[in-house]
Amino acid sequence: MTKSLNTTVDIGGLRINNPITVASGTFGFGREYENFIDISKLGGIMAKGLTLKPREGNPTPRIAETSSGMLNSVGLENPGVEYFVKNELPYLKSKGVTVIANISGNTVEEYCEMCNILDNTKTDAIEMNISCPNVKQGGVAFGTDKDIVYNITKEVRKSTNKPLIVKLSPNVTDIREIAKSAQKGGADGLSLINTLLGMAVNIKSRRPILRNNVGGLSGPAIKPVALRMVWQVSQVVDIPIIGMGGISTVEDIIEFLLVGASAISIGTANFINPRVTTDLLKELEKYMIENEIKDINDIVGKIKPY
Amino acid sequence: MTKSLNTTVDIGGLRINNPITVASGTFGFGREYENFIDISKLGGIMAKGLTLKPREGNPTPRIAETSSGMLNSVGLENPGVEYFVKNELPYLKSKGVTVIANISGNTVEEYCEMCNILDNTKTDAIEMNISCPNVKQGGVAFGTDKDIVYNITKEVRKSTNKPLIVKLSPNVTDIREIAKSAQKGGADGLSLINTLLGMAVNIKSRRPILRNNVGGLSGPAIKPVALRMVWQVSQVVDIPIIGMGGISTVEDIIEFLLVGASAISIGTANFINPRVTTDLLKELEKYMIENEIKDINDIVGKIKPY
Amino acid sequence: MLIENCRVKKNEKIIEDIYKMEIINEQITKLGKAGQFLQIKVNNQDTPLLRRPISINEIKIDEKVIVIYYKVIGKGTKLLSEVKSGEILNVIGPLGTGFETNYEEKSIALIGGGIGVAPLIELGKRLSDRNKVYSYLGFADNTYLEEEFKKFSTSIGVSTVSGRVGYKGLVVDIFKNELIDKKIDLIFACGPNPMLREIAEIAKLNNIECQVSLEERMACGFGACLGCSIKTIHGMKKVCSDGPVFWSSEVIFND
Amino acid sequence: MLIENCRVKKNEKIIEDIYKMEIINEQITKLGKAGQFLQIKVNNQDTPLLRRPISINEIKIDEKVIVIYYKVIGKGTKLLSEVKSGEILNVIGPLGTGFETNYEEKSIALIGGGIGVAPLIELGKRLSDRNKVYSYLGFADNTYLEEEFKKFSTSIGVSTVSGRVGYKGLVVDIFKNELIDKKIDLIFACGPNPMLREIAEIAKLNNIECQVSLEERMACGFGACLGCSIKTIHGMKKVCSDGPVFWSSEVIFND
Ligand SMILES: Cc1cc2nc3c(=O)[nH]c(=O)nc-3n(C[C@H](O)[C@H](O)[C@H](O)COP(=O)(O)OP(=O)(O)OC[C@H]3O[C@@H](n4cnc5c(N)ncnc54)[C@H](O)[C@@H]3O)c2cc1C
Ligand SMILES: Cc1cc2nc3c(=O)[nH]c(=O)nc-3n(C[C@H](O)[C@H](O)[C@H](O)COP(=O)(O)OP(=O)(O)OC[C@H]3O[C@@H](n4cnc5c(N)ncnc54)[C@H](O)[C@@H]3O)c2cc1C
Ligand SMILES: Cc1cc2nc3c(=O)[nH]c(=O)nc-3n(C[C@H](O)[C@H](O)[C@H](O)COP(=O)(O)O)c2cc1C
Ligand SMILES: Cc1cc2nc3c(=O)[nH]c(=O)nc-3n(C[C@H](O)[C@H](O)[C@H](O)COP(=O)(O)O)c2cc1C
Ligand code: FES
Ligand code: FES
């Protein structure tokens, strides 16, 4: 039965076996989850966000819980792109995992240099994070101005032959403008949404809970905002969208596909149930059978708005 | 004991008895809550959003529940400003309620006309909503561009002698810029935040749950975003801020005061517990006594960021 | 309108996904009327955030018990179904206007669709003293609550879409066939919107007075949020506080 | 690492806001070590969203029982305290590295602050076979779990900040006074960060080996989120998977 189902989707020139990927920064480089699941079953792994040089990230506390959500101010702790290429990528590829490298830079040049490094590797695609709210320089600035998004995408586009996915920040007035600029700049696909900028306060100490004062909000709380943005963007671009933000059930996945995502990423939910991805893959296939959906692409964008 | 506590705060030239007000659109014109509480105990009532002419609002469904939040697409159903002045305001004033009229317009002229009408009444202040995401014309456009915010505030400022509070939309790239423009335009105070634009999907019908497709997200889910925005804005303006977004406990209130709000509004929480406002007022006084806070203003903005 | 912590006396599945719950509260049983409803907070968490509207389906004054019947639809009703007897639920009620029941010597049709049959129980009990009550109950597949209706009905028509029990098809069709014979001069209906719209048309065509109990998604349930406003010939009305029961002739049904 | 639905055998208040819970799971009792911890989902809702990290405080292999002691701090531990015996909790564990316990003929100090005393119970049980164990327990006001420590300790020092029981002041002060006398050559400590930092300094000054069990806010608990990374002399380490137990000489304490 399952055999006759098509779950493969295209995310900008890269075909993946199923639409369930994992969100960058929530899945490390995959190793931690091998205690729980067969990671090669995933559509793909968006690896932990990389920078050109290793970063220690922000001091702790880096985590705060909020209603149906969490804030993080990890601040892109990572071993740097070269370490990744040498020590993590070969391992993941040996396991048969589809690997999408997630990159963050302080300058256009840094992004391009990282692409140059990744281009000669087996990385399957590049997800360009122009939205991380935790890094003071770069981060927010890149992702919130449509002209900058256009320019940086255009430049980075020249530095890589891999599928280039641009990951957008939700902390903007009009996500459609940003998305159109990324497409115009040459993006093959779009990921949205990254975290909403938020804050939590400890009333006893009268201090922010996060040592970084503010952090990125993720989890079920942001799902309505994410759905809205995916829906808005899917109406103005022609490239595939990877939808994310608070996904934790198979219904959530269907919702994102209906509003126009070709694939989805699961983030925060991995922390609560490290088997959520493969559990949901099974449920997705069951859903397809029950609803006589032969090809998962048949429901992408099939919402009927009023 | 309670006698020696000062809970009065200033919200832009208007002194209110305590910092607990209710958010526009969640408290009608007060009448519905008289079955539950003594509404004159409130710091003030932000009345249901008014327009120049009566409006029927959007078709139903207008409500969708989300994780720790809700979406609404009421779309400013209201009987119009003149009905309010004739039939609702006198009643509220006879009860000794501090009344802040919340106004929405399609044009600058409409805002000014509404102010003219309200100026000769006993309305205590005007809250100018430039942020309602449900009205296609006006709404979003006004509140998301700093130049427009400056201009409209300047014009409306001329049309009223009442304290003018500008209510900001969170659906913007940089709330600080918008807040500064409102202050520069002559606002006496700021209210933030209004709802985040969101969406919910019914996977069975493959339609949006809301007849309006999208709606405004409120409730505990948005609190981290609201706190962050109040904190950011409090650092760049000198006028009082009324903080709101997901407040439902006394701890929430303290958090908003600490990050810089002089007063707060309770919205969605009223639907779940129609006595929440007066319950929290008691708890706030208890908190002040236990923590030896004589004047509630003493904790406003007292967060120690890292 | 009361906000009460009420003890759950009983909570049991009656069939498939249909549950019966008995809630103890003296004042609500005293004040409550057929067609009114409760707003129930199913737990103390932020999820589910909102209360769930459930009709007062039966009132047992002497036991101080309100009976509700509910169908498990989503998260809220699922959690409700897991509540154990002895536990406490926070409830606002009675809400809404309820059915107008001051009638005598009428031939009355009660028409219920699915879980919409439940609110007609208390109504039928009250009306049957002085009127003839004909009940029409429509279900998808399994049927339930017929025994309750037998207690006060002169006759009962049952339909299922699947044909498993009774007439195969829609309950409105049974009703249409009988309405002349039974000389129906008053209709009370509760169920899905398309059913109510059809009944409203039949009522109009046959010049029969008709009260319909409507459903809308609600945030508050007591008139404050305007989440449940519908168009009527008298302007916008709130299902929660102006209704949920309306004269069918007033309502401008959505498409 | 296992994800298990575990039955709660017992859940009871032992004093004020301190609770003892017994959780049944064969595999975790077999694999678990002193100093490791569990990630517990306290309900099935989105609030609280995250699991709560709680140490494995005692293991009863024959009963297949893990004992945890916890203090009610906020929403999560409050809900945990309301769980009834017989209910099921979803648990990930055992997590983290645990204490290094392969010692003999040592004079060992166990220093616990507040609820931080609890993880030292299983440790003390294991160490006391072949070593002398001196326990130092610091509390704010009320004391608890001394009886457990008496079972394996050569001596016990107790302090309370309020002075209600034992020495009035900080437990580190008792320890400082005794460490030469008792010829302490190994320290295990668990408690609030400032306490651990002070103990780390004392250990360094006196050239004593010292293991500290750290706490950080965690999203995952198994090394994936980098929420719990701390600075050490060997670079960034994750409290959840590289720890929670570290050599005090490695840790670069936050201010
Ligand atoms: C006045 C009134 C009386 C009702 N009486 C009964 C009754 O006696 N028995 C019964 O089984 N059901 C009754 N309902 C329907 C019942 O309220 C819904 O089935 C229930 O709210 C579903 O909640 P959920 O969390 O299980 O579903 P979800 O779909 O998860 O709910 C999500 C949101 O949508 C709302 N919602 C979903 N379906 C409905 C609906 N049909 N009507 C209104 N809101 C809805 C919920 O309240 C919630 O806010 C009544 C509805 C109204 C308005
Ligand atoms: C490895 C480890 C072992 C622990 N062992 C125990 C134990 O055996 N007994 C015990 O009582 N407590 C223990 N704690 C502390 C316990 O995890 C917290 O008290 C608990 O998470 C508080 O949750 P809450 O919802 O009640 O509080 P809230 O303040 O509402 O929690 C909000 C968020 O902050 C986190 N948080 C709050 N306090 C702490 C803390 N001190 N450490 C880590 N996260 C925190 C929560 O996990 C949650 O994510 C341990 C912590 C860690 C990291
Ligand atoms: C702890 C944590 C770390 C994250 N790190 C990154 C990152 O390095 N790069 C990135 O593009 N997004 C990062 N994100 C954002 C997620 O990839 C994702 O966009 C967001 O969390 C929304 O999805 P969710 O609600 O399912 O978690 C991070 C999120 C979390 C919670
Ligand atoms: C049903 C509903 C109607 C609202 N109507 C208005 C309105 O008319 N004018 C306005 O400025 N804000 C309106 N709001 C926004 C609230 O005033 C408030 O800014 C927002 O809900 C955040 O607060 P909360 O999370 O406490 O609800 C409305 C919100 C809700 C939920
Ligand atoms: S549900 Fe709020 S007004 Fe009717
Ligand atoms: S808690 Fe996630 S890495 Fe340690």
Side-chain angles (χ1 to χ4, degrees):
Chain A
M1 192 64 173
T2 316
K3 278 273 137 53
S4 68
L5 297 179
N6 177 40
T7 57
T8 66
V9 297
D10 173 283
I11 52 168
L14 176 65
R15 279 202 87 73
I16 55 178
N17 284 333
N18 66 69
I20 301 183
T21 70
V22 289
S24 178
T26 68
F27 214 76
F29 298 117
R31 290 186 202 267
E32 290 77 13
Y33 287 89
E34 292 203 283
N35 294 311
F36 301 108
I37 58 167
D38 175 358
I39 59 174
S40 70
K41 290 255 170 74
L42 300 172
I45 291 183
M46 278 55 167
K48 180 194 299 182
L50 298 168
T51 49
L52 190 56
K53 300 272 166 266
R55 279 178 58 96
E56 291 192 343
N58 294 318
T60 59
R62 293 178 173 183
I63 303 289
E65 194 182 65
T66 66
S67 277
S68 297
M70 61 169 275
L71 294 166
N72 90 82
S73 58
V74 169
L76 285 178
E77 176 182 339
N78 81 94
V81 66
E82 282 175 347
Y83 180 96
F84 167 75
V85 168
K86 264 189 219 120
N87 300 290
E88 302 289 354
L89 184 61
Y91 176 77
L92 283 171
K93 291 311 297 177
S94 77
K95 295 260 165 183
V97 174
T98 299
V99 182
I100 295 113
N102 177 283
I103 60 170
S104 286
N106 288 312
T107 59
V108 178
E109 292 70 34
E110 278 187 20
Y111 278 105
C112 293
E113 206 176 327
M114 293 171 81
C115 281
N116 287 331
I117 295 168
L118 290 165
D119 227 34
N120 303 313
T121 70
K122 291 192 166 156
T123 309
D124 294 284
I126 291 171
E127 184 178 54
M128 179 167 75
N129 176 15
I130 50 172
S131 49
C132 182
N134 295 320
V135 181
K136 267 158 206 149
Q137 297 160 339
V140 168
F142 283 123
T144 53
D145 181 298
K146 71 176 166 40
D147 298 329
I148 301 180
V149 170
Y150 170 70
N151 285 322
I152 187 174
T153 311
K154 206 177 64 181
E155 289 307 313
V156 173
R157 170 74 292 173
K158 293 183 204 150
S159 320
T160 179
N161 292 312
K162 309 267 185 198
L164 179 64
I165 295 158
V166 178
K167 182 159 176 183
L168 307 183
S169 165
N171 302 298
V172 296
T173 303
D174 189 350
I175 191 84
R176 286 168 294 210
E177 290 304 316
I178 309 286
K180 283 193 281 183
S181 299
Q183 170 171 290
K184 211 169 105 202
D188 299 307
L190 299 173
S191 281
L192 56 152
I193 62 173
N194 212 311
T195 53
L196 286 166
L197 194 59
M199 185 175 189
V201 174
N202 180 334
I203 64 168
K204 289 211 184 95
S205 65
R206 297 192 177 174
R207 309 208 79 161
I209 291 181
L210 299 176
R211 189 68 168 69
N212 189 52
N213 296 323
V214 296
L217 182 64
S218 63
I222 70 169
K223 199 186 80 176
V225 176
L227 276 174
R228 183 263 294 182
M229 288 190 167
V230 170
W231 183 62
Q232 286 184 324
V233 168
S234 75
Q235 290 168 72
V236 297
V237 301
D238 310 314
I239 51 180
I241 296 170
I242 306 172
M244 71 199 73
I247 295 177
S248 70
T249 67
V250 69
E251 289 81 13
D252 295 339
I253 296 179
I254 310 291
E255 291 172 22
F256 273 88
L257 298 179
L258 285 173
V259 298
S262 298
I264 59 90
S265 293
I266 294 178
T268 302
N270 289 300
F271 303 152
I272 297 139
N273 175 11
R275 282 203 283 256
V276 67
T277 42
T278 49
D279 286 356
L280 292 187
L281 182 56
K282 274 180 230 138
E283 289 188 42
L284 185 63
E285 287 173 353
K286 199 171 139 231
Y287 177 88
M288 290 175 70
I289 293 167
E290 283 172 5
N291 291 273
E292 292 172 15
I293 298 160
K294 293 243 170 63
D295 183 344
I296 195 68
N297 294 286
D298 288 349
I299 67 169
V300 171
K302 287 298 155 57
I303 189 145
K304 287 165 286 182
Y306 290 102
Chain B
M1 192 66 173
T2 316
K3 277 273 137 52
S4 68
L5 298 178
N6 177 39
T7 57
T8 67
V9 298
D10 173 283
I11 52 167
L14 175 65
R15 278 203 87 74
I16 56 179
N17 283 335
N18 66 69
I20 300 182
T21 70
V22 289
S24 178
T26 68
F27 214 78
F29 299 117
R31 290 187 203 265
E32 289 77 12
Y33 288 88
E34 292 202 283
N35 293 311
F36 302 108
I37 57 168
D38 175 358
I39 59 174
S40 70
K41 290 255 169 74
L42 299 172
I45 289 182
M46 279 54 167
K48 180 194 300 182
L50 297 168
T51 50
L52 190 56
K53 300 273 166 266
R55 278 178 58 94
E56 290 192 344
N58 294 317
T60 57
R62 292 178 173 183
I63 302 289
E65 194 184 64
T66 66
S67 277
S68 296
M70 61 169 276
L71 294 166
N72 90 80
S73 57
V74 168
L76 286 177
E77 176 181 341
N78 80 94
V81 66
E82 281 174 348
Y83 181 96
F84 167 75
V85 168
K86 264 188 221 120
N87 301 289
E88 301 290 353
L89 184 60
Y91 175 76
L92 284 171
K93 291 311 297 176
S94 78
K95 295 259 165 181
V97 173
T98 299
V99 181
I100 295 112
N102 177 283
I103 59 170
S104 286
N106 287 313
T107 59
V108 178
E109 293 69 35
E110 278 187 20
Y111 278 105
C112 293
E113 206 176 327
M114 292 171 81
C115 281
N116 286 332
I117 295 168
L118 290 164
D119 228 34
N120 303 315
T121 70
K122 289 193 168 156
T123 309
D124 294 284
I126 290 171
E127 183 178 55
M128 179 166 76
N129 177 15
I130 49 172
S131 50
C132 183
N134 295 321
V135 181
K136 268 159 205 150
Q137 297 160 341
V140 167
F142 282 124
T144 54
D145 181 298
K146 72 177 165 44
D147 297 329
I148 300 180
V149 170
Y150 169 70
N151 283 323
I152 186 174
T153 311
K154 207 177 64 181
E155 288 308 312
V156 173
R157 171 73 293 171
K158 292 183 205 150
S159 320
T160 179
N161 292 312
K162 308 267 184 198
L164 178 64
I165 296 158
V166 178
K167 182 159 177 182
L168 306 184
S169 165
N171 303 298
V172 296
T173 304
D174 189 349
I175 191 84
R176 286 167 294 208
E177 290 304 316
I178 309 286
K180 283 192 282 183
S181 298
Q183 170 171 289
K184 211 170 103 203
D188 299 307
L190 300 173
S191 280
L192 56 150
I193 61 175
N194 211 310
T195 53
L196 285 166
L197 194 59
M199 185 175 189
V201 174
N202 180 334
I203 64 168
K204 288 211 185 95
S205 65
R206 298 193 176 172
R207 308 208 80 162
I209 291 181
L210 299 177
R211 190 66 167 72
N212 190 51
N213 297 322
V214 296
L217 182 64
S218 63
I222 70 169
K223 198 186 80 176
V225 175
L227 276 173
R228 183 262 296 181
M229 289 189 167
V230 170
W231 183 62
Q232 286 184 324
V233 167
S234 75
Q235 291 168 70
V236 297
V237 301
D238 309 316
I239 50 180
I241 296 170
I242 306 172
M244 71 199 73
I247 295 176
S248 70
T249 67
V250 70
E251 289 81 14
D252 295 339
I253 296 179
I254 310 291
E255 291 173 22
F256 273 88
L257 299 179
L258 285 172
V259 297
S262 298
I264 58 91
S265 293
I266 294 177
T268 301
N270 288 301
F271 302 151
I272 298 140
N273 175 10
R275 282 203 283 256
V276 67
T277 42
T278 48
D279 285 356
L280 292 187
L281 182 56
K282 273 181 229 137
E283 289 188 43
L284 184 63
E285 286 173 356
K286 199 170 139 231
Y287 176 88
M288 290 175 70
I289 293 167
E290 282 172 5
N291 291 273
E292 292 173 15
I293 298 160
K294 293 243 170 63
D295 184 344
I296 196 67
N297 295 285
D298 288 349
I299 68 170
V300 171
K302 286 300 154 56
I303 189 145
K304 287 165 286 182
Y306 289 103
Chain C
M1 258 163 276
L2 306 162
I3 312 180
E4 300 277 300
N5 283 320
C6 304
R7 195 166 295 278
V8 173
K9 189 173 172 188
K10 240 197 238 170
N11 189 22
E12 53 188 26
K13 185 192 281 204
I14 60 168
I15 189 173
E16 269 187 345
D17 48 1
I18 308 289
Y19 286 72
K20 174 184 187 176
M21 183 186 269
E22 297 193 352
I23 300 170
I24 307 175
N25 187 277
E26 182 164 5
Q27 274 155 298
I28 299 181
T29 49
K30 276 192 194 151
L31 294 171
K33 290 191 295 179
Q36 289 189 305
F37 69 101
L38 308 174
Q39 274 279 56
I40 303 180
K41 185 83 177 93
V42 300
N43 66 11
N44 305 320
Q45 301 299 312
D46 284 348
T47 47
L49 186 68
L50 302 171
R51 291 173 181 268
R52 294 299 187 262
I54 302 284
S55 300
I56 297 177
N57 296 147
E58 212 183 327
I59 296 173
K60 301 184 180 175
I61 293 270
D62 33 331
E63 296 178 51
K64 294 165 195 155
V65 156
I66 307 126
V67 183
I68 61 173
Y69 294 95
Y70 59 95
K71 180 172 175 174
V72 172
I73 298 282
K75 203 183 275 187
T77 46
K78 180 79 176 50
L79 283 163
L80 201 60
S81 74
E82 292 163 3
V83 170
K84 301 202 181 65
S85 44
E87 287 184 20
I88 300 290
L89 285 177
N90 188 274
V91 166
I92 304 184
L95 293 164
T97 47
F99 291 104
E100 172 58 59
T101 55
N102 198 7
Y103 296 104
E104 30 188 281
E105 296 183 22
K106 297 266 183 191
S107 279
I108 295 176
L110 305 186
I111 315 177
I115 192 67
V117 304
L120 302 175
I121 298 174
E122 182 63 25
L123 177 68
K125 270 171 49 184
R126 298 198 179 190
L127 288 171
S128 58
D129 288 357
R130 297 185 287 170
N131 305 277
K132 270 219 174 87
V133 172
Y134 302 95
S135 297
Y136 299 91
L137 313 178
F139 302 94
D141 185 25
N142 276 314
T143 62
Y144 43 87
L145 297 179
E146 300 120 293
E147 291 309 312
E148 304 299 323
F149 282 88
K150 282 189 186 148
K151 292 181 190 159
F152 55 74
S153 304
T154 304
S155 79
I156 298 188
V158 171
S159 76
T160 54
V161 177
S162 67
R164 180 202 283 255
V165 184
Y167 171 80
K168 181 175 158 70
L170 297 174
V171 71
V172 179
D173 297 334
I174 319 185
F175 168 67
K176 268 198 289 199
N177 285 334
E178 298 191 355
L179 86 109
I180 309 279
D181 261 19
K182 305 264 153 106
K183 302 203 178 72
I184 301 296
D185 47 18
L186 195 58
I187 303 172
F188 293 86
C190 184
N193 249 348
M195 176 185 117
L196 298 183
R197 192 170 46 209
E198 200 182 338
I199 293 170
E201 275 163 30
I202 296 170
K204 192 176 168 191
L205 226 66
N206 293 278
N207 218 358
I208 306 176
E209 287 204 312
C210 173
Q211 295 177 33
V212 290
S213 177
L214 302 181
E215 277 184 14
E216 281 296 341
R217 290 185 178 238
M218 297 182 171
C220 69
F222 48 82
C225 73
L226 297 189
C228 65
S229 289
I230 55 158
K231 280 194 191 173
T232 76
I233 55 171
H234 310 299
M236 301 303 287
K237 295 275 179 192
K238 302 177 213 172
V239 169
C240 69
S241 52
D242 298 320
V245 179
F246 294 90
W247 292 108
S248 69
S249 52
E250 278 183 298
V251 179
I252 302 173
F253 283 94
N254 252 352
D255 39 84
Chain D
M1 259 162 276
L2 306 162
I3 312 180
E4 301 276 298
N5 284 319
C6 305
R7 196 166 293 278
V8 172
K9 190 174 171 187
K10 241 197 235 170
N11 189 23
E12 52 186 27
K13 185 191 279 202
I14 60 169
I15 189 173
E16 270 187 345
D17 47 1
I18 309 289
Y19 286 73
K20 175 184 186 175
M21 183 186 271
E22 298 192 351
I23 299 171
I24 306 175
N25 188 276
E26 183 164 4
Q27 275 154 297
I28 299 180
T29 49
K30 276 191 193 150
L31 295 169
K33 289 192 295 180
Q36 290 188 302
F37 68 100
L38 308 174
Q39 274 278 59
I40 303 179
K41 186 81 178 94
V42 301
N43 65 10
N44 305 321
Q45 301 300 312
D46 284 348
T47 47
L49 185 67
L50 302 171
R51 291 171 182 270
R52 294 299 188 260
I54 301 285
S55 300
I56 296 176
N57 295 148
E58 212 182 326
I59 296 173
K60 301 185 183 176
I61 292 270
D62 35 329
E63 296 179 49
K64 295 166 194 154
V65 156
I66 308 125
V67 183
I68 62 173
Y69 294 95
Y70 60 94
K71 181 172 174 173
V72 172
I73 298 282
K75 203 184 276 189
T77 45
K78 180 79 176 48
L79 282 163
L80 201 60
S81 74
E82 292 163 3
V83 171
K84 301 202 181 68
S85 44
E87 287 183 20
I88 300 290
L89 284 178
N90 188 272
V91 166
I92 304 183
L95 293 164
T97 48
F99 290 105
E100 172 60 59
T101 55
N102 197 7
Y103 296 104
E104 29 188 282
E105 294 183 23
K106 298 267 183 190
S107 279
I108 295 176
L110 305 185
I111 315 177
I115 192 66
V117 304
L120 302 174
I121 297 174
E122 182 63 24
L123 177 68
K125 269 171 48 183
R126 299 197 178 191
L127 289 171
S128 58
D129 289 356
R130 298 184 287 168
N131 305 277
K132 272 218 173 92
V133 171
Y134 302 94
S135 297
Y136 299 91
L137 313 177
F139 301 94
D141 184 26
N142 276 315
T143 63
Y144 43 87
L145 298 180
E146 300 121 294
E147 290 310 312
E148 304 299 323
F149 281 87
K150 281 190 187 148
K151 292 181 191 161
F152 56 74
S153 304
T154 305
S155 78
I156 299 189
V158 171
S159 76
T160 54
V161 177
S162 67
R164 180 202 282 254
V165 184
Y167 172 80
K168 181 176 158 74
L170 297 173
V171 71
V172 179
D173 298 335
I174 319 186
F175 168 66
K176 267 199 287 200
N177 285 335
E178 297 191 356
L179 85 109
I180 309 279
D181 262 19
K182 306 262 154 111
K183 301 203 179 73
I184 301 296
D185 45 20
L186 194 59
I187 303 171
F188 293 85
C190 184
N193 250 348
M195 177 185 116
L196 298 183
R197 192 169 47 210
E198 199 182 340
I199 292 170
E201 274 163 29
I202 296 169
K204 192 176 169 192
L205 225 67
N206 294 277
N207 217 1
I208 305 175
E209 287 204 312
C210 173
Q211 296 175 33
V212 290
S213 178
L214 301 181
E215 276 185 13
E216 281 296 342
R217 291 186 177 236
M218 298 180 171
C220 69
F222 47 84
C225 73
L226 298 188
C228 65
S229 289
I230 55 157
K231 279 193 193 177
T232 75
I233 55 171
H234 309 299
M236 300 304 285
K237 295 275 180 192
K238 302 176 213 172
V239 168
C240 68
S241 51
D242 300 319
V245 179
F246 294 89
W247 292 107
S248 70
S249 52
E250 280 183 296
V251 179
I252 302 171
F253 283 93
N254 253 352
D255 40 85

